[in-house]
Amino acid sequence: MGEAAGGQNERARALLISVAEQLKVPLTVIARQAELGLLTGGMAKVDATTIVSQTTTALTLVDSYLLGLELLQQQAQLELEPVSLSSLLTDVAHDLEQYAKSYQVHLEVAIAGKYGPIMGHSKGLKAALLSLGFALAEAQAAQEVQGPKRLVLGLHHTPHGTITGIYGNYQSLSVPAWRAALRLNGRARQPIRSLSASTGAGLFVADTIMQAMETRLRVGRYKGQQGLAATFLPSQQLQLV
Amino acid sequence: MSYILLIESNGVLASLYTQALQRAGFRVARAVGAQSGITAADKQCPDIVILDIELAEHSGVEFLHEFRSYSEWQNIPVIINTALPPVRAQAVLGSLQRDFGITNMLYKPRLTLDDLVRTAQQALRQANPQ
């Protein structure tokens, strides 16, 4: 019975991987068609830009999901390297900008102080932060809050380490809600309704990748905003160099 | 007018790439696979080849083996454009990148038409410094 279940799980996983890879094809076609429409003037700039940013988001999510899956299965090992969190965060903000704009969410980068490098995996960390950012931008737009909607990409020191995360006006986001969401992921259509109207897949993909870097996403506060963040310890060796 | 041989199995994408490259002043011939790629190159020698690795029947790597076996095609720039994630593409090609003189490795899902055109123009300039 156990073996049959195991075999089914393996088949289901294989199917998901296959579908995820295949999804990249039509998404790529849509993005490039919109781009051509922009180049030839055959499509309104707003329309084409939205299509390109949405499909780029989808492609990023698919890639991040596949990376997360590989890491879960330990088929990929993250080779750690010195990473500048402040540069990475700026990079992520740049990639998120168009998407956030399409949801009328204002993006802000808040880096308090100077930071030495941490040992991490630059591509993995970027994939995680991007997935998180896309999910939280969409979630922020869906929040019934007064005033302008904004997302803060933050980096700050605490006695526990360097914390990087993405924050917004999420009044109902709490530690119990996030813990419940992690349990409900894949079982409920809206595992974290206080945050996201959809499955919030980007949040869980980000958390999975962070796990491979021996940290996890936790609920945090920064600059009066609530969000999800991860803690990194600065590399003592790199600081000595 | 420089001539590009585009070996791409996805017809819709191939059409989009072709239109973008033609707008930039290139002549483009398209082949769906390795075999037709060799036939097309034989018909008219390309200035650049843009090649996917994952093709039906014979792979892009097999194409490269055959393509580079002909002396007249040994110095033609080859740009790889693949949906394989970069780390996997590097693993697949490994030292063949150097052995086959691959000019660029592009990641198809993120490659904009602008980037494709720029890469082709750059490859051509590098191959023909004047």
Side-chain angles (χ1 to χ4, degrees), chain A residues 18-42:
Chain A
S18 170
V19 167
E21 282 288 352
Q22 188 65 48
L23 275 173
K24 288 200 262 188
V25 176
L27 287 170
T28 303
V29 169
I30 293 166
R32 300 292 77 80
Q33 182 72 72
E35 198 190 341
L36 190 67
L38 255 179
L39 286 174
T40 59

Side-chain angles (χ1 to χ4, degrees), chain A residues 110-115 155-157 222-223:
Chain A
I111 297 173
K114 287 189 184 233
Y115 299 86
L155 181 62
H156 64 288
H157 284 302
Y222 184 55
K223 291 204 167 267

Side-chain angles (χ1 to χ4, degrees), chain A residues 35-100:
Chain A
E35 198 190 341
L36 190 67
L38 255 179
L39 286 174
T40 59
M43 196 183 277
K45 187 175 178 191
V46 165
D47 298 338
T49 309
T50 301
I51 291 169
V52 171
S53 91
Q54 289 280 333
T55 46
T56 304
T57 303
L59 285 162
T60 303
L61 185 60
V62 169
D63 272 338
S64 302
Y65 157 71
L66 288 166
L67 175 63
L69 205 61
E70 281 180 43
L71 292 171
L72 270 179
Q73 297 290 319
Q74 294 180 330
Q75 283 169 8
Q77 294 288 325
L78 284 186
E79 282 175 24
L80 301 183
E81 58 196 321
V83 177
S84 160
L85 283 174
S86 49
S87 302
L88 191 74
L89 214 58
T90 309
D91 219 7
V92 167
H94 178 263
D95 286 2
L96 266 180
E97 197 183 345
Q98 201 53 53
Y99 186 76

Side-chain angles (χ1 to χ4, degrees), chain B residues 76-118:
Chain B
I76 294 171
V78 173
I79 297 168
I80 300 289
N81 181 26
T82 176
L84 274 174
V87 170
R88 260 206 239 148
Q90 299 278 1
V92 163
L93 282 168
S95 64
L96 296 178
Q97 260 189 271
R98 191 191 56 241
D99 296 343
F100 286 143
I102 290 165
T103 315
N104 300 85
M105 293 274 291
L106 304 175
Y107 181 48
K108 206 186 285 188
R110 299 279 175 86
L111 178 70
T112 65
L113 298 177
D114 260 349
D115 285 339
L116 178 67
V117 166
R118 247 197 309 271

Side-chain angles (χ1 to χ4, degrees), chain A residues 211-226:
Chain A
Q211 231 184 320
M213 282 181 270
E214 294 178 13
T215 185
R216 295 295 297 263
L217 282 180
R218 298 192 197 288
V219 175
R221 281 191 72 82
Y222 184 55
K223 291 204 167 267
Q225 306 283 298
Q226 196 93 315

